[in-house]
Amino acid sequence: MSETAAPIGQTPADELGYEAARDELVRVVQALESGDVTLEQSLALWERGNALAERCEQWLQGARARLDAARGTEADAS
C-alpha cells in the first residue's frame, strides 16, 4: 500500500470516483486476505468492500451508457 493512499473508509463510497473506489477496494481485499484482522474488522471491511464494488459498478454502467449514447449519436450522423 502506498503512503499516499487514503485510509480505508475515510470517504463515503458514493462520493468516490471510479479509480479511487477501485484502489480502495483493492486495499480492502488485501486486508481481508492478509488474515490479520479480527472478525469484527473483517465484517466492516466486507461491508465497505461491498459498497465500493457497487460504486465501481455505478461508474461502469454510467460509462457504458455514455458510450452507447455516443454510438447512437454517431450512427444518427452517418
Side-chain angles (χ1 to χ4, degrees):
M1 184 180 336
S2 73
E3 292 180 24
T4 59
I8 294 173
Q10 294 295 309
T11 303
D14 62 352
E15 294 180 11
L16 293 172
Y18 175 77
E19 290 82 4
R22 181 202 58 214
D23 292 348
E24 186 177 337
L25 181 56
V26 168
R27 292 193 307 273
V28 166
V29 170
Q30 289 171 339
L32 287 168
E33 288 178 341
S34 76
D36 293 332
V37 293
T38 66
L39 177 59
E40 195 66 32
Q41 291 168 328
S42 293
L43 290 171
L45 285 167
W46 184 86
E47 290 171 345
R48 179 64 176 180
N50 192 47
L52 292 165
E54 288 176 5
R55 182 60 174 160
C56 288
E57 183 62 27
Q58 289 171 350
W59 273 105
L60 292 173
Q61 287 176 357
R64 191 172 298 120
R66 289 176 64 190
L67 286 171
D68 289 345
R71 286 186 191 130
T73 302
E74 289 176 12
D76 293 341
S78 302

